[in-house]
Amino acid sequence: MPATIKDVAKLANVSISTVSRVINNAPNVNPNTRKRVLDAINKLNFKPNKIAQSLTATAFPAIGIVSLTRFSNEAFLPLILQSIGEVADKKDYEIVLNTSKDENQEIKKCISMIESKVIQGIIILSSKVNDPLIEKLYEMKFPFVLLGRYTNERIANEIYSVDTDNFADSKEAVEYLFKLGHNRIAFIHGPLKYVVSQDRLSGYIEAHKEAAIPVDYSIIKDGGSSIKEAYLAAKEILKNPNPPTAVFVSDDSKAVGVYRACQELNLKIPDDISVIGHNNYEISQILSPQLTTIDVPIKDLGIIGTRKLFDLIEGIPTEKRTILDTKFIKRKSCKSLI
Amino acid sequence: MPATIKDVAKLANVSISTVSRVINNAPNVNPNTRKRVLDAINKLNFKPNKIAQSLTATAFPAIGIVSLTRFSNEAFLPLILQSIGEVADKKDYEIVLNTSKDENQEIKKCISMIESKVIQGIIILSSKVNDPLIEKLYEMKFPFVLLGRYTNERIANEIYSVDTDNFADSKEAVEYLFKLGHNRIAFIHGPLKYVVSQDRLSGYIEAHKEAAIPVDYSIIKDGGSSIKEAYLAAKEILKNPNPPTAVFVSDDSKAVGVYRACQELNLKIPDDISVIGHNNYEISQILSPQLTTIDVPIKDLGIIGTRKLFDLIEGIPTEKRTILDTKFIKRKSCKSLI
DNA sequence: AATGAATTTAAAAACGTTTTCACAAAAACT
DNA sequence: AGTTTTTGTGAAAACGTTTTTAAATTCATT
């Protein structure tokens, strides 16, 4: 049986209150006594029971992450988890994972963790267009930070979030292609239930509007959330009777599917077709030719988002919405037609 | 302030013991009383405080996962986390993540979670050759399950683990290449500090031994843990004055680097060079030509490993070591030379 | 030396549950 | 009817801490 505070008290011949004071570095404890207690603690290898500590604090030091499935297939899960971990570690908080697959279970699990006092805050990894989880958490006034953007007008400006400007970045990429002389550009996006997919699509459309180039929905396709789906989408697009001269993919890993489709159809990148990706995953440098893409500071999203969450938890005033800078990275997958 | 058991007791006009009995579905409570209590619980939206519950149980229902960095770059982190989550959810256990980067911190964090009573068991995602964490946990007799194999003779047979037979699978792949008439086969492996990398290398070597084909270490290279490193390794190997006719890569995602290297050097797969991967990630079907590989049941590793851990926690006897079946998947990346 | 203030300590209450023990009431036996 | 068993309930202790209150000790001041 591990030692408790009582054992320490007995051995050091003091009361448990004194031991508690020593543990918590309270002032007002005689240096001699402190030493005696510290010795006892060492001798017994005493470690305070975190559960018991949180009972009086009425809060267990942990934050929740919701949820893996919001982008389970994406290359950045490890990065984002690790960056969240870095910040949480410094605060000596635990990270508890919500791995729920379906939406109902996801919410239920969250509420349960909150109500049973297991977590003090939540990081939401990505937002859906009408996100019942976000609505619910907002309504509960429970501290949470969204890594993304929420669109529901009523509360969009009220929630705390960290994001990049997907709309602008997407627009910029398309404009770059316009400048290169492309005016028939395909777009392969992720599942439109996610706001990030919507935003990237909107940027694509807005660029067209501003350039007065009509949007052709026959070359805009859902690339799902797997490489294979993107590959299938690309193949369909490229077989279009009036094929595009460029394709913009909303995720580098989906670009792998596009490259494959091009290869199969004997289309040379960038000579026959230009490609741009998004996110700047490692793979974008390995693809041949190297992929032009938009660098998203994934680790910073995690770090800054988690810091914001701790500000919320600790009642420190913090900016509602933080937009992180991105960088358009020109590589070898685009060709000028002019 | 959320309702406590006392509030419920008062409203239902019973003692807190009775409420507790209702919460825990104890027998011996009058149907009428039970109904009254249930009504009160609903009216107050009472949810037992898990922290308080675990204080008396002297154990918080959670398991730890150690650690992300043990294969942060691999495609199967989401899968494994999710499969662990599935099982833990059923048991109503939380999953707490250890995201430590360096080895010392990893151990410290683990010990701390154990000693402060935050977790009841640990899943170790992968083993190192001399793994101080495993040694320590074993010595502490703390319940843990390794997803992999441990080599330290003294305790190898004592620890609980789930794994595939990396040695045999690797050997089989090489033998397949032999049968196809290849006898100069390169090997690109992962970091040798991990047992899985060692085992896959050993299988490669053993196949050579049995076939009485000398092992040439100039075409065996460390592909690190990134696609880029694998790409670099492949390039070096392929430039060998006496180049191999096939390359076996210990991870499908590394195979992407190999494909890229071949392309750059104008080597056609499988005509000029055959390639075999390992793990059967989604990417292996997207690569062109589709990659011959070894299917590893990733989700099953997680599910069976976590079940085993719960057996340990609950004191149910369970098999020490479980080996899962794999499947050699022939696709288009190998050519017969005969 | 007496008073008051500051420091240090102990005792006890509290956090929200579960569990043990005791006892009353009801039911089942003689 | 009297005795035993079963059922249902409440009071109190326990889990391992922190926090509050109060008391004892030390120290400075007069």
Side-chain angles (χ1 to χ4, degrees):
Chain A
M1 297 306 102
T4 74
I5 200 173
K6 279 184 197 164
D7 303 320
V8 175
K10 195 173 291 175
L11 182 59
N13 202 24
V14 296
S15 73
I16 59 170
S17 353
T18 301
V19 178
S20 175
R21 274 189 290 264
V22 171
I23 296 168
N24 295 289
N25 282 314
N28 293 354
V29 28
N30 187 298
N32 293 326
T33 319
R34 162 163 280 132
K35 184 168 179 328
R36 218 156 12 106
V37 172
L38 251 20
D39 286 348
I41 287 176
N42 281 329
K43 191 167 289 168
L44 298 174
N45 189 30
F46 165 76
K47 296 284 151 56
N49 180 322
K50 227 178 203 172
I51 304 299
Q53 287 184 316
S54 5
L55 223 211
T56 53
T58 54
F60 184 66
I63 60 176
I65 297 185
V66 182
S67 82
L68 255 49
T69 49
R70 287 187 178 227
F71 43 63
S72 74
N73 280 320
E74 302 207 29
F76 75 75
L77 188 66
L79 277 178
I80 209 92
L81 290 181
Q82 201 169 332
S83 55
I84 294 173
E86 260 175 44
V87 180
D89 259 10
K90 275 188 203 131
K91 293 273 183 183
D92 213 9
Y93 266 58
E94 309 296 341
I95 292 178
V96 355
L97 227 50
N98 181 333
T99 61
S100 305
K101 265 187 299 204
D102 84 279
E103 193 170 86
N104 285 331
Q105 212 201 325
E106 180 187 88
I107 298 195
K108 262 179 60 184
K109 175 78 183 169
C110 273
I111 305 294
S112 147
M113 291 199 297
I114 294 170
E115 290 185 332
S116 59
K117 302 283 181 297
V118 169
I119 53 174
Q120 294 187 38
I122 286 182
I123 301 265
I124 302 182
L125 292 184
S126 172
S127 54
K128 297 176 187 172
V129 171
N130 270 311
D131 204 320
L133 176 64
I134 293 179
E135 296 285 339
K136 181 73 184 171
L137 291 181
Y138 178 74
E139 178 195 312
M140 292 175 77
K141 298 195 186 304
F142 187 78
F144 73 95
V145 168
L146 166 65
L147 268 30
R149 189 172 83 89
Y150 192 51
T151 45
N152 178 324
E153 280 209 6
R154 194 172 52 79
I155 67 174
N157 295 320
E158 296 303 315
I159 72 175
Y160 292 83
S161 60
V162 181
D163 203 1
T164 56
D165 191 339
N166 287 296
F167 174 84
D169 292 342
S170 197
K171 183 161 167 268
E172 181 183 352
V174 173
E175 283 165 350
Y176 169 76
L177 287 170
F178 285 158
K179 227 175 284 167
L180 255 37
H182 298 268
N183 53 25
R184 188 158 171 76
I185 303 167
F187 185 57
I188 295 178
H189 55 77
L192 289 179
K193 65 177 172 181
Y194 294 116
V195 173
V196 55
S197 303
Q198 294 275 356
D199 283 352
R200 290 180 183 187
L201 176 56
S202 304
Y204 167 91
I205 292 174
E206 177 64 17
H208 280 73
K209 265 196 197 146
E210 287 187 12
I213 297 177
V215 172
D216 178 357
Y217 284 92
S218 72
I219 51 173
I220 298 180
K221 289 233 178 295
D222 188 344
S225 50
S226 70
I227 305 180
K228 187 159 194 175
E229 286 170 90
Y231 154 73
L232 261 18
K235 223 160 140 179
E236 254 197 87
I237 284 175
L238 295 172
K239 280 180 181 163
N240 191 293
N242 179 11
T245 59
V247 16
F248 179 29
V249 210
S250 74
D251 184 286
D252 288 351
S253 73
K254 288 192 180 65
V256 178
V258 175
Y259 270 54
R260 163 75 188 276
C262 291
Q263 188 180 10
E264 268 182 30
L265 298 173
N266 247 316
L267 260 22
K268 273 258 170 303
I269 303 171
D271 294 331
D272 303 327
I273 186 134
S274 294
V275 181
I276 295 184
H278 207 140
N279 288 354
N280 195 25
Y281 296 151
E282 191 197 9
I283 189 88
S284 65
Q285 293 187 61
I286 299 297
L287 285 170
S288 171
Q290 296 198 341
L291 180 66
T292 291
T293 189
I294 297 147
D295 180 63
V296 172
I298 300 174
K299 286 207 72 170
D300 291 342
L301 277 172
I303 290 175
I304 294 173
T306 310
R307 285 203 192 127
K308 199 185 279 280
L309 181 59
F310 279 115
D311 284 345
L312 248 41
I313 291 173
E314 292 164 10
I316 299 169
T318 175
E319 193 177 29
K320 284 260 160 66
R321 181 157 172 77
T322 307
I323 305 292
L324 266 32
D325 284 342
T326 55
K327 216 172 137 192
F328 188 66
I329 301 190
K330 291 180 201 169
R331 288 202 275 244
K332 312 284 184 187
S333 61
C334 296
K335 185 184 140 186
S336 172
L337 299 182
I338 314 178
Chain B
M1 297 307 99
T4 74
I5 200 173
K6 280 184 196 164
D7 302 320
V8 176
K10 195 173 293 176
L11 182 60
N13 203 22
V14 296
S15 72
I16 59 170
S17 348
T18 301
V19 178
S20 175
R21 274 189 285 262
V22 171
I23 296 168
N24 296 288
N25 282 314
N28 292 354
V29 27
N30 185 298
N32 293 327
T33 319
R34 163 163 280 132
K35 183 167 180 327
R36 216 153 17 102
V37 171
L38 251 19
D39 286 348
I41 286 177
N42 281 329
K43 191 168 287 169
L44 298 174
N45 189 28
F46 165 76
K47 297 285 153 54
N49 180 323
K50 227 177 204 173
I51 303 298
Q53 286 184 317
S54 6
L55 223 209
T56 53
T58 54
F60 184 67
I63 59 175
I65 298 184
V66 181
S67 81
L68 256 48
T69 51
R70 285 185 180 230
F71 44 64
S72 74
N73 280 319
E74 301 206 29
F76 73 77
L77 187 65
L79 278 178
I80 210 92
L81 290 181
Q82 202 169 331
S83 55
I84 294 173
E86 260 174 44
V87 181
D89 259 11
K90 275 189 202 128
K91 293 274 181 183
D92 213 9
Y93 266 57
E94 308 296 340
I95 292 178
V96 355
L97 226 52
N98 181 334
T99 60
S100 305
K101 266 186 299 204
D102 84 278
E103 193 170 86
N104 285 331
Q105 211 201 324
E106 180 186 89
I107 297 195
K108 261 178 63 183
K109 175 78 184 167
C110 274
I111 304 294
S112 146
M113 291 197 298
I114 295 170
E115 290 185 332
S116 58
K117 302 284 181 299
V118 169
I119 53 174
Q120 294 186 40
I122 286 181
I123 301 265
I124 302 182
L125 292 184
S126 172
S127 54
K128 297 176 188 172
V129 172
N130 270 311
D131 204 320
L133 176 65
I134 293 179
E135 296 286 339
K136 181 71 185 174
L137 291 181
Y138 178 75
E139 176 196 313
M140 292 175 76
K141 298 194 186 307
F142 187 79
F144 73 96
V145 168
L146 167 65
L147 269 30
R149 189 173 82 89
Y150 192 51
T151 45
N152 178 323
E153 279 210 6
R154 193 172 53 82
I155 68 174
N157 295 321
E158 297 303 316
I159 71 173
Y160 292 82
S161 59
V162 182
D163 204 1
T164 55
D165 191 338
N166 287 298
F167 174 85
D169 292 343
S170 196
K171 181 160 168 268
E172 181 184 353
V174 173
E175 283 165 351
Y176 169 75
L177 287 171
F178 285 158
K179 227 175 283 167
L180 255 37
H182 297 269
N183 54 23
R184 187 158 172 75
I185 303 168
F187 185 57
I188 295 177
H189 55 77
L192 289 178
K193 65 177 173 181
Y194 293 116
V195 172
V196 55
S197 302
Q198 294 275 354
D199 283 352
R200 290 179 181 186
L201 175 57
S202 304
Y204 166 92
I205 291 173
E206 177 65 19
H208 280 73
K209 266 197 194 142
E210 286 186 13
I213 297 177
V215 171
D216 177 356
Y217 284 92
S218 72
I219 51 172
I220 298 180
K221 290 232 177 296
D222 188 344
S225 49
S226 71
I227 306 180
K228 187 159 194 175
E229 287 170 89
Y231 154 72
L232 261 17
K235 224 161 138 178
E236 254 196 86
I237 283 174
L238 295 172
K239 280 181 182 161
N240 190 293
N242 179 11
T245 59
V247 15
F248 179 29
V249 209
S250 73
D251 184 285
D252 288 353
S253 73
K254 288 192 180 65
V256 178
V258 175
Y259 270 53
R260 162 74 190 275
C262 291
Q263 188 180 9
E264 269 183 28
L265 298 172
N266 248 316
L267 261 22
K268 272 256 170 306
I269 303 169
D271 294 330
D272 303 325
I273 186 133
S274 294
V275 180
I276 295 184
H278 206 140
N279 289 353
N280 195 26
Y281 294 150
E282 191 198 8
I283 188 86
S284 65
Q285 293 186 61
I286 299 298
L287 285 171
S288 171
Q290 296 198 340
L291 180 66
T292 291
T293 189
I294 298 146
D295 180 62
V296 171
I298 300 174
K299 286 206 74 169
D300 291 343
L301 278 171
I303 290 175
I304 294 173
T306 310
R307 285 204 192 126
K308 198 184 279 279
L309 181 59
F310 280 115
D311 284 345
L312 248 41
I313 291 173
E314 293 165 8
I316 299 169
T318 175
E319 193 178 30
K320 283 260 162 68
R321 182 159 174 76
T322 306
I323 304 291
L324 267 32
D325 284 342
T326 55
K327 215 172 136 194
F328 187 66
I329 301 190
K330 291 180 200 169
R331 288 202 275 245
K332 312 284 183 188
S333 61
C334 296
K335 185 184 140 186
S336 171
L337 299 182
I338 314 178

